[in-house]
Amino acid sequence: MCDPTTVLAIGMGMKADGVYSGWKAQDAYAAQQRRDVIAQMNQQLQNYSAERQDAYDYAVTEMMKANTNALQLNSQTEAAVDEDYAGGGRTADALMRHSLADNARYISSVKDNYRRKFNEIMLNREATIKSSYKTVKGIKGTTRKSRFADVLGLATDGLMSYGTYQGS
């Protein structure tokens, strides 16, 4: 049969191993949570980058279409004005300015829409980064207080076991 002191020492060792394993498991779980939050943030940032590129491509395409249409319209307007108002004049100039202004307004509208979309995407990006930072910062592993409490609990168990051993 084993000596009671050996049984006490084995019991304390098993308890200490259980406490240490618990610490490792808590720290590993917290680290995994942090990695998951960072991976999710990176995925959202990639989505924002793709959305920003799509908005840019759309704006460029719309401006190219507008310029092409404006060139066609302006040449047709100029041809019509030249036919009807052979010498030019204020009416002819007003018609030409009006067709040029329509194109400028449309391009300005496309640029404004792009700026708004870009600002929205960048604000969402910043909010995602700040939110992820706060979430990662809030994930805690084992703390010194919990470790100290576990060590005190282990010592208390040892003293109680020793007292039981002395009493028997």
Side-chain angles (χ1 to χ4, degrees):
M1 193 86 198
C2 288
D3 180 27
T5 311
T6 306
V7 172
L8 178 67
I10 290 173
M12 289 300 296
M14 290 174 65
K15 175 79 173 168
D17 183 53
V19 168
Y20 179 72
S21 296
W23 291 345
K24 282 179 57 176
Q26 286 176 348
D27 288 341
Y29 181 70
Q32 183 60 45
Q33 282 183 315
R34 286 186 204 101
R35 282 191 297 273
D36 291 345
V37 168
I38 291 170
Q40 183 180 14
M41 178 194 69
N42 286 336
Q43 188 175 20
Q44 287 176 337
L45 293 179
Q46 287 175 348
N47 290 342
Y48 289 139
S49 294
E51 190 176 348
R52 188 179 67 221
Q53 185 62 44
D54 290 345
Y56 176 79
D57 291 342
Y58 176 77
V60 168
T61 303
E62 283 298 307
M63 286 189 291
M64 288 174 60
K65 282 186 202 174
N67 283 333
T68 302
N69 290 341
L71 286 173
Q72 291 172 351
L73 180 64
N74 289 344
S75 66
Q76 291 170 356
T77 304
E78 190 175 337
V81 165
D82 285 344
E83 284 179 11
D84 291 340
Y85 302 99
R90 283 192 282 176
T91 306
D93 291 341
L95 287 171
M96 288 303 299
R97 281 194 310 271
H98 182 70
S99 67
L100 291 172
D102 283 345
N103 183 44
R105 278 191 294 273
Y106 182 73
I107 287 179
S108 176
S109 171
V110 169
K111 286 179 180 180
D112 287 343
N113 289 341
Y114 171 71
R115 279 189 209 107
R116 275 191 228 107
K117 184 71 172 174
F118 180 81
N119 288 338
E120 176 188 348
I121 291 168
M122 294 310 287
L123 288 173
N124 288 341
R125 185 177 184 276
E126 287 300 315
T128 299
I129 290 170
K130 287 181 180 180
S131 173
S132 297
Y133 175 76
K134 287 180 182 178
T135 302
V136 166
K137 196 172 181 179
I139 297 172
K140 303 287 185 203
T142 56
T143 61
R144 287 184 179 210
K145 285 183 180 181
S146 69
R147 288 184 179 207
F148 184 69
D150 287 340
V151 169
L152 282 178
L154 184 62
T156 302
D157 286 347
L159 288 175
M160 287 175 48
S161 297
Y162 182 72
T164 305
Y165 167 71
Q166 289 294 327
S168 55

mmCIF file of all heavy atoms in Angstrom, residues 71-120:
data_model
loop_
_atom_site.group_PDB
_atom_site.id
_atom_site.type_symbol
_atom_site.label_atom_id
_atom_site.label_comp_id
_atom_site.label_asym_id
_atom_site.label_seq_id
_atom_site.Cartn_x
_atom_site.Cartn_y
_atom_site.Cartn_z
ATOM 1 N N LEU A 71 -20.232 64.296 -76.872
ATOM 2 C CA LEU A 71 -19.571 64.609 -78.145
ATOM 3 C C LEU A 71 -20.518 64.412 -79.314
ATOM 4 O O LEU A 71 -20.584 65.249 -80.236
ATOM 5 C CB LEU A 71 -18.326 63.737 -78.323
ATOM 6 C CG LEU A 71 -17.120 64.099 -77.468
ATOM 7 C CD1 LEU A 71 -16.020 63.054 -77.628
ATOM 8 C CD2 LEU A 71 -16.605 65.475 -77.861
ATOM 9 N N GLN A 72 -21.289 63.315 -79.273
ATOM 10 C CA GLN A 72 -22.249 63.069 -80.352
ATOM 11 C C GLN A 72 -23.336 64.138 -80.359
ATOM 12 O O GLN A 72 -23.688 64.683 -81.406
ATOM 13 C CB GLN A 72 -22.877 61.676 -80.188
ATOM 14 C CG GLN A 72 -21.914 60.541 -80.430
ATOM 15 C CD GLN A 72 -22.507 59.188 -80.061
ATOM 16 O OE1 GLN A 72 -23.577 59.100 -79.472
ATOM 17 N NE2 GLN A 72 -21.784 58.122 -80.421
ATOM 18 N N LEU A 73 -23.874 64.421 -79.172
ATOM 19 C CA LEU A 73 -24.946 65.410 -79.076
ATOM 20 C C LEU A 73 -24.462 66.797 -79.467
ATOM 21 O O LEU A 73 -25.155 67.537 -80.199
ATOM 22 C CB LEU A 73 -25.508 65.439 -77.654
ATOM 23 C CG LEU A 73 -26.639 66.415 -77.402
ATOM 24 C CD1 LEU A 73 -27.866 66.031 -78.225
ATOM 25 C CD2 LEU A 73 -26.988 66.449 -75.926
ATOM 26 N N ASN A 74 -23.264 67.145 -79.002
ATOM 27 C CA ASN A 74 -22.736 68.474 -79.331
ATOM 28 C C ASN A 74 -22.476 68.618 -80.826
ATOM 29 O O ASN A 74 -22.730 69.679 -81.410
ATOM 30 C CB ASN A 74 -21.453 68.758 -78.553
ATOM 31 C CG ASN A 74 -21.716 68.977 -77.081
ATOM 32 O OD1 ASN A 74 -22.850 69.210 -76.672
ATOM 33 N ND2 ASN A 74 -20.665 68.893 -76.281
ATOM 34 N N SER A 75 -21.972 67.570 -81.440
ATOM 35 C CA SER A 75 -21.732 67.669 -82.888
ATOM 36 C C SER A 75 -23.052 67.768 -83.645
ATOM 37 O O SER A 75 -23.161 68.523 -84.615
ATOM 38 C CB SER A 75 -20.901 66.498 -83.391
ATOM 39 O OG SER A 75 -21.621 65.290 -83.254
ATOM 40 N N GLN A 76 -24.070 67.031 -83.194
ATOM 41 C CA GLN A 76 -25.383 67.131 -83.836
ATOM 42 C C GLN A 76 -25.996 68.507 -83.601
ATOM 43 O O GLN A 76 -26.591 69.102 -84.507
ATOM 44 C CB GLN A 76 -26.325 66.042 -83.306
ATOM 45 C CG GLN A 76 -25.931 64.645 -83.738
ATOM 46 C CD GLN A 76 -26.730 63.566 -83.010
ATOM 47 O OE1 GLN A 76 -27.520 63.860 -82.136
ATOM 48 N NE2 GLN A 76 -26.494 62.319 -83.397
ATOM 49 N N THR A 77 -25.858 69.005 -82.373
ATOM 50 C CA THR A 77 -26.385 70.337 -82.060
ATOM 51 C C THR A 77 -25.666 71.400 -82.884
ATOM 52 O O THR A 77 -26.291 72.308 -83.443
ATOM 53 C CB THR A 77 -26.224 70.641 -80.557
ATOM 54 O OG1 THR A 77 -26.865 69.620 -79.802
ATOM 55 C CG2 THR A 77 -26.815 71.983 -80.196
ATOM 56 N N GLU A 78 -24.369 71.270 -82.975
ATOM 57 C CA GLU A 78 -23.589 72.241 -83.749
ATOM 58 C C GLU A 78 -23.978 72.200 -85.223
ATOM 59 O O GLU A 78 -24.138 73.247 -85.866
ATOM 60 C CB GLU A 78 -22.093 71.940 -83.585
ATOM 61 C CG GLU A 78 -21.202 73.015 -84.150
ATOM 62 C CD GLU A 78 -19.732 72.746 -83.852
ATOM 63 O OE1 GLU A 78 -19.427 72.010 -82.894
ATOM 64 O OE2 GLU A 78 -18.909 73.286 -84.599
ATOM 65 N N ALA A 79 -24.197 70.989 -85.751
ATOM 66 C CA ALA A 79 -24.605 70.878 -87.157
ATOM 67 C C ALA A 79 -25.979 71.503 -87.370
ATOM 68 O O ALA A 79 -26.208 72.219 -88.357
ATOM 69 C CB ALA A 79 -24.618 69.413 -87.575
ATOM 70 N N ALA A 80 -26.901 71.242 -86.430
ATOM 71 C CA ALA A 80 -28.251 71.808 -86.560
ATOM 72 C C ALA A 80 -28.221 73.317 -86.437
ATOM 73 O O ALA A 80 -28.913 74.042 -87.179
ATOM 74 C CB ALA A 80 -29.173 71.211 -85.507
ATOM 75 N N VAL A 81 -27.428 73.829 -85.499
ATOM 76 C CA VAL A 81 -27.328 75.274 -85.306
ATOM 77 C C VAL A 81 -26.718 75.918 -86.535
ATOM 78 O O VAL A 81 -27.175 76.985 -86.991
ATOM 79 C CB VAL A 81 -26.516 75.589 -84.025
ATOM 80 C CG1 VAL A 81 -26.084 77.050 -83.992
ATOM 81 C CG2 VAL A 81 -27.325 75.236 -82.803
ATOM 82 N N ASP A 82 -25.701 75.280 -87.093
ATOM 83 C CA ASP A 82 -25.051 75.844 -88.282
ATOM 84 C C ASP A 82 -26.017 75.879 -89.460
ATOM 85 O O ASP A 82 -25.960 76.784 -90.295
ATOM 86 C CB ASP A 82 -23.804 75.056 -88.647
ATOM 87 C CG ASP A 82 -22.643 75.350 -87.701
ATOM 88 O OD1 ASP A 82 -22.718 76.374 -86.977
ATOM 89 O OD2 ASP A 82 -21.685 74.554 -87.660
ATOM 90 N N GLU A 83 -26.905 74.895 -89.546
ATOM 91 C CA GLU A 83 -27.860 74.879 -90.651
ATOM 92 C C GLU A 83 -28.907 75.974 -90.486
ATOM 93 O O GLU A 83 -29.251 76.675 -91.435
ATOM 94 C CB GLU A 83 -28.583 73.525 -90.733
ATOM 95 C CG GLU A 83 -27.758 72.423 -91.323
ATOM 96 C CD GLU A 83 -28.507 71.091 -91.361
ATOM 97 O OE1 GLU A 83 -29.726 71.066 -91.127
ATOM 98 O OE2 GLU A 83 -27.852 70.077 -91.612
ATOM 99 N N ASP A 84 -29.448 76.077 -89.247
ATOM 100 C CA ASP A 84 -30.550 77.020 -89.045
ATOM 101 C C ASP A 84 -30.069 78.442 -88.766
ATOM 102 O O ASP A 84 -30.744 79.403 -89.130
ATOM 103 C CB ASP A 84 -31.441 76.557 -87.888
ATOM 104 C CG ASP A 84 -32.213 75.297 -88.254
ATOM 105 O OD1 ASP A 84 -32.354 75.029 -89.468
ATOM 106 O OD2 ASP A 84 -32.655 74.580 -87.328
ATOM 107 N N TYR A 85 -28.967 78.568 -88.086
ATOM 108 C CA TYR A 85 -28.442 79.891 -87.731
ATOM 109 C C TYR A 85 -27.076 80.058 -88.379
ATOM 110 O O TYR A 85 -26.041 79.950 -87.732
ATOM 111 C CB TYR A 85 -28.318 80.047 -86.210
ATOM 112 C CG TYR A 85 -29.631 79.858 -85.479
ATOM 113 C CD1 TYR A 85 -29.945 78.647 -84.870
ATOM 114 C CD2 TYR A 85 -30.542 80.902 -85.400
ATOM 115 C CE1 TYR A 85 -31.141 78.469 -84.206
ATOM 116 C CE2 TYR A 85 -31.743 80.736 -84.741
ATOM 117 C CZ TYR A 85 -32.040 79.519 -84.140
ATOM 118 O OH TYR A 85 -33.228 79.357 -83.485
ATOM 119 N N ALA A 86 -27.102 80.289 -89.637
ATOM 120 C CA ALA A 86 -25.875 80.284 -90.426
ATOM 121 C C ALA A 86 -24.841 81.270 -89.912
ATOM 122 O O ALA A 86 -23.649 80.988 -89.924
ATOM 123 C CB ALA A 86 -26.184 80.576 -91.888
ATOM 124 N N GLY A 87 -25.255 82.360 -89.406
ATOM 125 C CA GLY A 87 -24.288 83.358 -88.970
ATOM 126 C C GLY A 87 -23.952 83.247 -87.500
ATOM 127 O O GLY A 87 -23.156 84.016 -86.980
ATOM 128 N N GLY A 88 -24.547 82.303 -86.788
ATOM 129 C CA GLY A 88 -24.316 82.208 -85.355
ATOM 130 C C GLY A 88 -25.357 83.032 -84.631
ATOM 131 O O GLY A 88 -26.536 82.959 -84.928
ATOM 132 N N GLY A 89 -24.945 83.805 -83.683
ATOM 133 C CA GLY A 89 -25.865 84.645 -82.935
ATOM 134 C C GLY A 89 -26.040 84.138 -81.513
ATOM 135 O O GLY A 89 -25.500 83.113 -81.106
ATOM 136 N N ARG A 90 -26.838 84.916 -80.762
ATOM 137 C CA ARG A 90 -27.024 84.570 -79.348
ATOM 138 C C ARG A 90 -27.793 83.272 -79.156
ATOM 139 O O ARG A 90 -27.491 82.491 -78.275
ATOM 140 C CB ARG A 90 -27.732 85.713 -78.625
ATOM 141 C CG ARG A 90 -26.783 86.845 -78.336
ATOM 142 C CD ARG A 90 -27.371 87.812 -77.394
ATOM 143 N NE ARG A 90 -28.311 88.653 -78.139
ATOM 144 C CZ ARG A 90 -29.080 89.573 -77.588
ATOM 145 N NH1 ARG A 90 -29.048 89.776 -76.304
ATOM 146 N NH2 ARG A 90 -29.880 90.304 -78.322
ATOM 147 N N THR A 91 -28.775 83.021 -79.956
ATOM 148 C CA THR A 91 -29.567 81.798 -79.818
ATOM 149 C C THR A 91 -28.709 80.572 -80.094
ATOM 150 O O THR A 91 -28.773 79.573 -79.372
ATOM 151 C CB THR A 91 -30.775 81.821 -80.773
ATOM 152 O OG1 THR A 91 -31.521 83.010 -80.549
ATOM 153 C CG2 THR A 91 -31.652 80.624 -80.571
ATOM 154 N N ALA A 92 -27.908 80.654 -81.127
ATOM 155 C CA ALA A 92 -27.023 79.534 -81.465
ATOM 156 C C ALA A 92 -26.023 79.297 -80.330
ATOM 157 O O ALA A 92 -25.776 78.153 -79.932
ATOM 158 C CB ALA A 92 -26.289 79.812 -82.760
ATOM 159 N N ASP A 93 -25.466 80.359 -79.791
ATOM 160 C CA ASP A 93 -24.513 80.227 -78.689
ATOM 161 C C ASP A 93 -25.187 79.665 -77.436
ATOM 162 O O ASP A 93 -24.617 78.833 -76.729
ATOM 163 C CB ASP A 93 -23.870 81.579 -78.364
ATOM 164 C CG ASP A 93 -22.942 82.070 -79.468
ATOM 165 O OD1 ASP A 93 -22.521 81.233 -80.290
ATOM 166 O OD2 ASP A 93 -22.652 83.283 -79.490
ATOM 167 N N ALA A 94 -26.413 80.100 -77.191
ATOM 168 C CA ALA A 94 -27.142 79.600 -76.012
ATOM 169 C C ALA A 94 -27.427 78.101 -76.143
ATOM 170 O O ALA A 94 -27.317 77.350 -75.163
ATOM 171 C CB ALA A 94 -28.446 80.381 -75.837
ATOM 172 N N LEU A 95 -27.794 77.655 -77.330
ATOM 173 C CA LEU A 95 -28.044 76.223 -77.544
ATOM 174 C C LEU A 95 -26.769 75.403 -77.317
ATOM 175 O O LEU A 95 -26.794 74.335 -76.701
ATOM 176 C CB LEU A 95 -28.588 75.979 -78.953
ATOM 177 C CG LEU A 95 -30.028 76.407 -79.191
ATOM 178 C CD1 LEU A 95 -30.380 76.312 -80.669
ATOM 179 C CD2 LEU A 95 -30.967 75.528 -78.371
ATOM 180 N N MET A 96 -25.671 75.896 -77.801
ATOM 181 C CA MET A 96 -24.394 75.185 -77.644
ATOM 182 C C MET A 96 -23.971 75.155 -76.162
ATOM 183 O O MET A 96 -23.554 74.117 -75.649
ATOM 184 C CB MET A 96 -23.290 75.849 -78.479
ATOM 185 C CG MET A 96 -23.432 75.628 -79.969
ATOM 186 S SD MET A 96 -23.486 73.894 -80.435
ATOM 187 C CE MET A 96 -21.918 73.333 -79.861
ATOM 188 N N ARG A 97 -24.114 76.290 -75.489
ATOM 189 C CA ARG A 97 -23.760 76.330 -74.068
ATOM 190 C C ARG A 97 -24.650 75.396 -73.258
ATOM 191 O O ARG A 97 -24.188 74.728 -72.336
ATOM 192 C CB ARG A 97 -23.864 77.758 -73.525
ATOM 193 C CG ARG A 97 -22.690 78.622 -73.866
ATOM 194 C CD ARG A 97 -22.675 79.902 -73.040
ATOM 195 N NE ARG A 97 -23.936 80.611 -73.059
ATOM 196 C CZ ARG A 97 -24.296 81.540 -73.953
ATOM 197 N NH1 ARG A 97 -23.448 81.876 -74.905
ATOM 198 N NH2 ARG A 97 -25.465 82.138 -73.882
ATOM 199 N N HIS A 98 -25.918 75.335 -73.619
ATOM 200 C CA HIS A 98 -26.860 74.477 -72.899
ATOM 201 C C HIS A 98 -26.480 72.998 -73.043
ATOM 202 O O HIS A 98 -26.500 72.242 -72.062
ATOM 203 C CB HIS A 98 -28.285 74.712 -73.411
ATOM 204 C CG HIS A 98 -29.301 73.901 -72.686
ATOM 205 N ND1 HIS A 98 -29.647 74.132 -71.379
ATOM 206 C CD2 HIS A 98 -30.039 72.828 -73.090
ATOM 207 C CE1 HIS A 98 -30.554 73.251 -71.000
ATOM 208 N NE2 HIS A 98 -30.808 72.439 -72.028
ATOM 209 N N SER A 99 -26.111 72.576 -74.244
ATOM 210 C CA SER A 99 -25.738 71.170 -74.427
ATOM 211 C C SER A 99 -24.424 70.847 -73.696
ATOM 212 O O SER A 99 -24.269 69.769 -73.122
ATOM 213 C CB SER A 99 -25.638 70.814 -75.907
ATOM 214 O OG SER A 99 -24.569 71.489 -76.510
ATOM 215 N N LEU A 100 -23.494 71.801 -73.659
ATOM 216 C CA LEU A 100 -22.242 71.593 -72.912
ATOM 217 C C LEU A 100 -22.508 71.569 -71.401
ATOM 218 O O LEU A 100 -21.917 70.783 -70.662
ATOM 219 C CB LEU A 100 -21.227 72.684 -73.254
ATOM 220 C CG LEU A 100 -20.651 72.665 -74.670
ATOM 221 C CD1 LEU A 100 -19.813 73.909 -74.920
ATOM 222 C CD2 LEU A 100 -19.835 71.401 -74.886
ATOM 223 N N ALA A 101 -23.421 72.424 -70.945
ATOM 224 C CA ALA A 101 -23.733 72.490 -69.513
ATOM 225 C C ALA A 101 -24.422 71.222 -69.035
ATOM 226 O O ALA A 101 -24.186 70.766 -67.905
ATOM 227 C CB ALA A 101 -24.606 73.704 -69.223
ATOM 228 N N ASP A 102 -25.277 70.641 -69.869
ATOM 229 C CA ASP A 102 -25.929 69.382 -69.490
ATOM 230 C C ASP A 102 -24.893 68.293 -69.206
ATOM 231 O O ASP A 102 -24.989 67.564 -68.211
ATOM 232 C CB ASP A 102 -26.871 68.905 -70.596
ATOM 233 C CG ASP A 102 -28.176 69.668 -70.627
ATOM 234 O OD1 ASP A 102 -28.484 70.357 -69.631
ATOM 235 O OD2 ASP A 102 -28.886 69.569 -71.652
ATOM 236 N N ASN A 103 -23.909 68.194 -70.056
ATOM 237 C CA ASN A 103 -22.854 67.198 -69.864
ATOM 238 C C ASN A 103 -22.052 67.498 -68.601
ATOM 239 O O ASN A 103 -21.754 66.591 -67.811
ATOM 240 C CB ASN A 103 -21.927 67.158 -71.078
ATOM 241 C CG ASN A 103 -20.869 66.086 -70.938
ATOM 242 O OD1 ASN A 103 -21.185 64.971 -70.534
ATOM 243 N ND2 ASN A 103 -19.639 66.412 -71.256
ATOM 244 N N ALA A 104 -21.719 68.749 -68.388
ATOM 245 C CA ALA A 104 -20.939 69.122 -67.200
ATOM 246 C C ALA A 104 -21.715 68.823 -65.921
ATOM 247 O O ALA A 104 -21.145 68.329 -64.937
ATOM 248 C CB ALA A 104 -20.559 70.599 -67.261
ATOM 249 N N ARG A 105 -23.028 69.093 -65.919
ATOM 250 C CA ARG A 105 -23.854 68.794 -64.738
ATOM 251 C C ARG A 105 -23.902 67.300 -64.473
ATOM 252 O O ARG A 105 -23.810 66.847 -63.329
ATOM 253 C CB ARG A 105 -25.275 69.342 -64.921
ATOM 254 C CG ARG A 105 -25.407 70.809 -64.612
ATOM 255 C CD ARG A 105 -26.854 71.233 -64.549
ATOM 256 N NE ARG A 105 -27.522 71.127 -65.840
ATOM 257 C CZ ARG A 105 -27.538 72.067 -66.768
ATOM 258 N NH1 ARG A 105 -26.926 73.204 -66.561
ATOM 259 N NH2 ARG A 105 -28.179 71.886 -67.903
ATOM 260 N N TYR A 106 -24.057 66.515 -65.536
ATOM 261 C CA TYR A 106 -24.128 65.069 -65.347
ATOM 262 C C TYR A 106 -22.804 64.520 -64.805
ATOM 263 O O TYR A 106 -22.793 63.711 -63.872
ATOM 264 C CB TYR A 106 -24.507 64.359 -66.654
ATOM 265 C CG TYR A 106 -24.630 62.868 -66.471
ATOM 266 C CD1 TYR A 106 -25.710 62.330 -65.787
ATOM 267 C CD2 TYR A 106 -23.653 62.000 -66.937
ATOM 268 C CE1 TYR A 106 -25.836 60.963 -65.582
ATOM 269 C CE2 TYR A 106 -23.758 60.643 -66.740
ATOM 270 C CZ TYR A 106 -24.849 60.125 -66.074
ATOM 271 O OH TYR A 106 -24.960 58.785 -65.870
ATOM 272 N N ILE A 107 -21.699 64.960 -65.347
ATOM 273 C CA ILE A 107 -20.390 64.496 -64.874
ATOM 274 C C ILE A 107 -20.165 64.943 -63.428
ATOM 275 O O ILE A 107 -19.657 64.172 -62.602
ATOM 276 C CB ILE A 107 -19.258 64.981 -65.804
ATOM 277 C CG1 ILE A 107 -19.323 64.173 -67.099
ATOM 278 C CG2 ILE A 107 -17.896 64.847 -65.153
ATOM 279 C CD1 ILE A 107 -18.302 64.527 -68.125
ATOM 280 N N SER A 108 -20.569 66.152 -63.115
ATOM 281 C CA SER A 108 -20.454 66.632 -61.736
ATOM 282 C C SER A 108 -21.293 65.767 -60.792
ATOM 283 O O SER A 108 -20.861 65.434 -59.684
ATOM 284 C CB SER A 108 -20.900 68.087 -61.663
ATOM 285 O OG SER A 108 -20.881 68.541 -60.343
ATOM 286 N N SER A 109 -22.472 65.380 -61.236
ATOM 287 C CA SER A 109 -23.338 64.506 -60.428
ATOM 288 C C SER A 109 -22.687 63.145 -60.202
ATOM 289 O O SER A 109 -22.720 62.607 -59.086
ATOM 290 C CB SER A 109 -24.685 64.345 -61.127
ATOM 291 O OG SER A 109 -25.457 63.367 -60.483
ATOM 292 N N VAL A 110 -22.083 62.590 -61.238
ATOM 293 C CA VAL A 110 -21.408 61.294 -61.103
ATOM 294 C C VAL A 110 -20.241 61.398 -60.128
ATOM 295 O O VAL A 110 -20.059 60.533 -59.263
ATOM 296 C CB VAL A 110 -20.926 60.776 -62.485
ATOM 297 C CG1 VAL A 110 -20.006 59.586 -62.330
ATOM 298 C CG2 VAL A 110 -22.119 60.418 -63.362
ATOM 299 N N LYS A 111 -19.476 62.473 -60.221
ATOM 300 C CA LYS A 111 -18.342 62.677 -59.304
ATOM 301 C C LYS A 111 -18.821 62.838 -57.864
ATOM 302 O O LYS A 111 -18.218 62.279 -56.944
ATOM 303 C CB LYS A 111 -17.525 63.900 -59.721
ATOM 304 C CG LYS A 111 -16.678 63.676 -60.950
ATOM 305 C CD LYS A 111 -15.908 64.940 -61.309
ATOM 306 C CE LYS A 111 -15.062 64.758 -62.535
ATOM 307 N NZ LYS A 111 -14.325 65.987 -62.877
ATOM 308 N N ASP A 112 -19.890 63.599 -57.669
ATOM 309 C CA ASP A 112 -20.429 63.773 -56.311
ATOM 310 C C ASP A 112 -20.920 62.452 -55.732
ATOM 311 O O ASP A 112 -20.688 62.156 -54.558
ATOM 312 C CB ASP A 112 -21.565 64.799 -56.310
ATOM 313 C CG ASP A 112 -21.076 66.223 -56.492
ATOM 314 O OD1 ASP A 112 -19.858 66.455 -56.295
ATOM 315 O OD2 ASP A 112 -21.898 67.086 -56.836
ATOM 316 N N ASN A 113 -21.600 61.673 -56.560
ATOM 317 C CA ASN A 113 -22.072 60.361 -56.091
ATOM 318 C C ASN A 113 -20.906 59.462 -55.715
ATOM 319 O O ASN A 113 -20.963 58.741 -54.713
ATOM 320 C CB ASN A 113 -22.933 59.682 -57.155
ATOM 321 C CG ASN A 113 -24.276 60.342 -57.318
ATOM 322 O OD1 ASN A 113 -24.731 61.065 -56.439
ATOM 323 N ND2 ASN A 113 -24.903 60.115 -58.457
ATOM 324 N N TYR A 114 -19.837 59.513 -56.513
ATOM 325 C CA TYR A 114 -18.657 58.705 -56.197
ATOM 326 C C TYR A 114 -18.022 59.163 -54.885
ATOM 327 O O TYR A 114 -17.664 58.342 -54.043
ATOM 328 C CB TYR A 114 -17.625 58.776 -57.327
ATOM 329 C CG TYR A 114 -16.320 58.127 -56.933
ATOM 330 C CD1 TYR A 114 -16.219 56.754 -56.793
ATOM 331 C CD2 TYR A 114 -15.199 58.900 -56.647
ATOM 332 C CE1 TYR A 114 -15.028 56.156 -56.399
ATOM 333 C CE2 TYR A 114 -14.020 58.317 -56.248
ATOM 334 C CZ TYR A 114 -13.938 56.947 -56.132
ATOM 335 O OH TYR A 114 -12.764 56.360 -55.715
ATOM 336 N N ARG A 115 -17.901 60.481 -54.696
ATOM 337 C CA ARG A 115 -17.309 60.995 -53.452
ATOM 338 C C ARG A 115 -18.121 60.556 -52.236
ATOM 339 O O ARG A 115 -17.561 60.165 -51.215
ATOM 340 C CB ARG A 115 -17.215 62.515 -53.484
ATOM 341 C CG ARG A 115 -16.038 63.020 -54.249
ATOM 342 C CD ARG A 115 -15.857 64.526 -54.081
ATOM 343 N NE ARG A 115 -15.222 65.046 -55.264
ATOM 344 C CZ ARG A 115 -15.811 65.768 -56.199
ATOM 345 N NH1 ARG A 115 -17.066 66.103 -56.081
ATOM 346 N NH2 ARG A 115 -15.141 66.175 -57.254
ATOM 347 N N ARG A 116 -19.445 60.644 -52.349
ATOM 348 C CA ARG A 116 -20.305 60.207 -51.237
ATOM 349 C C ARG A 116 -20.118 58.729 -50.948
ATOM 350 O O ARG A 116 -20.000 58.313 -49.804
ATOM 351 C CB ARG A 116 -21.772 60.503 -51.552
ATOM 352 C CG ARG A 116 -22.169 61.892 -51.190
ATOM 353 C CD ARG A 116 -23.683 62.068 -51.273
ATOM 354 N NE ARG A 116 -23.915 63.277 -52.021
ATOM 355 C CZ ARG A 116 -24.362 63.351 -53.266
ATOM 356 N NH1 ARG A 116 -24.712 62.264 -53.901
ATOM 357 N NH2 ARG A 116 -24.495 64.497 -53.863
ATOM 358 N N LYS A 117 -20.117 57.919 -51.990
ATOM 359 C CA LYS A 117 -19.943 56.469 -51.825
ATOM 360 C C LYS A 117 -18.570 56.163 -51.225
ATOM 361 O O LYS A 117 -18.442 55.332 -50.326
ATOM 362 C CB LYS A 117 -20.120 55.771 -53.183
ATOM 363 C CG LYS A 117 -20.053 54.279 -53.123
ATOM 364 C CD LYS A 117 -21.276 53.728 -52.449
ATOM 365 C CE LYS A 117 -21.295 52.224 -52.575
ATOM 366 N NZ LYS A 117 -22.392 51.640 -51.816
ATOM 367 N N PHE A 118 -17.538 56.850 -51.715
ATOM 368 C CA PHE A 118 -16.184 56.653 -51.204
ATOM 369 C C PHE A 118 -16.106 57.006 -49.722
ATOM 370 O O PHE A 118 -15.531 56.258 -48.919
ATOM 371 C CB PHE A 118 -15.202 57.506 -52.012
ATOM 372 C CG PHE A 118 -13.783 57.377 -51.564
ATOM 373 C CD1 PHE A 118 -13.015 56.312 -51.973
ATOM 374 C CD2 PHE A 118 -13.213 58.318 -50.718
ATOM 375 C CE1 PHE A 118 -11.700 56.180 -51.558
ATOM 376 C CE2 PHE A 118 -11.903 58.192 -50.292
ATOM 377 C CZ PHE A 118 -11.148 57.115 -50.721
ATOM 378 N N ASN A 119 -16.691 58.149 -49.346
ATOM 379 C CA ASN A 119 -16.674 58.559 -47.939
ATOM 380 C C ASN A 119 -17.431 57.567 -47.064
ATOM 381 O O ASN A 119 -16.995 57.249 -45.956
ATOM 382 C CB ASN A 119 -17.256 59.963 -47.779
ATOM 383 C CG ASN A 119 -16.324 61.027 -48.300
ATOM 384 O OD1 ASN A 119 -15.120 60.813 -48.416
ATOM 385 N ND2 ASN A 119 -16.873 62.173 -48.637
ATOM 386 N N GLU A 120 -18.561 57.076 -47.557
ATOM 387 C CA GLU A 120 -19.329 56.085 -46.806
ATOM 388 C C GLU A 120 -18.508 54.808 -46.581
ATOM 389 O O GLU A 120 -18.465 54.271 -45.474
ATOM 390 C CB GLU A 120 -20.615 55.748 -47.567
ATOM 391 C CG GLU A 120 -21.438 54.660 -46.925
ATOM 392 C CD GLU A 120 -22.591 54.220 -47.800
ATOM 393 O OE1 GLU A 120 -22.903 54.892 -48.792
ATOM 394 O OE2 GLU A 120 -23.179 53.171 -47.486
#
